[in-house]
Amino acid sequence: MAKPNYAFAKRQRDLAKKQKKEAKRQRKAEPAQAPATSPEPSPPGEENRPTGGVEPGTGDKSAMSNLS
């Protein structure tokens, strides 16, 4: 009967541990990268829509006349 090769078995266990650790590291790193790489898309047509009111620097005279 052949004797067991303990060094080979140990090497296989070590490789399996390394693979598991690497997979876990990638899973942990993935959520941290996900928000930075893919921001939530805005609804279509809202990219260039003004945010209400008057653009800065245009000087809306009608709004100013109501204040006095």
Side-chain angles (χ1 to χ4, degrees):
M1 190 163 128
K3 71 180 206 178
N5 188 349
Y6 293 112
F8 179 78
K10 183 178 188 314
R11 175 95 173 119
Q12 293 303 311
R13 284 193 309 270
D14 289 343
L15 287 174
K17 277 185 188 179
K18 281 185 178 182
Q19 286 177 340
K20 283 184 180 180
K21 279 188 176 185
E22 180 63 22
K24 186 175 182 180
R25 186 190 66 77
Q26 286 179 350
R27 281 195 319 267
K28 284 188 172 187
E30 189 174 309
Q33 295 174 354
T37 58
S38 60
E40 188 173 315
S42 61
E46 291 193 15
E47 295 86 26
N48 296 326
R49 184 177 294 173
T51 57
V54 179
E55 291 181 15
T58 58
D60 187 9
K61 304 289 183 194
S62 62
M64 296 299 287
S65 64
N66 294 338
L67 294 175
S68 18

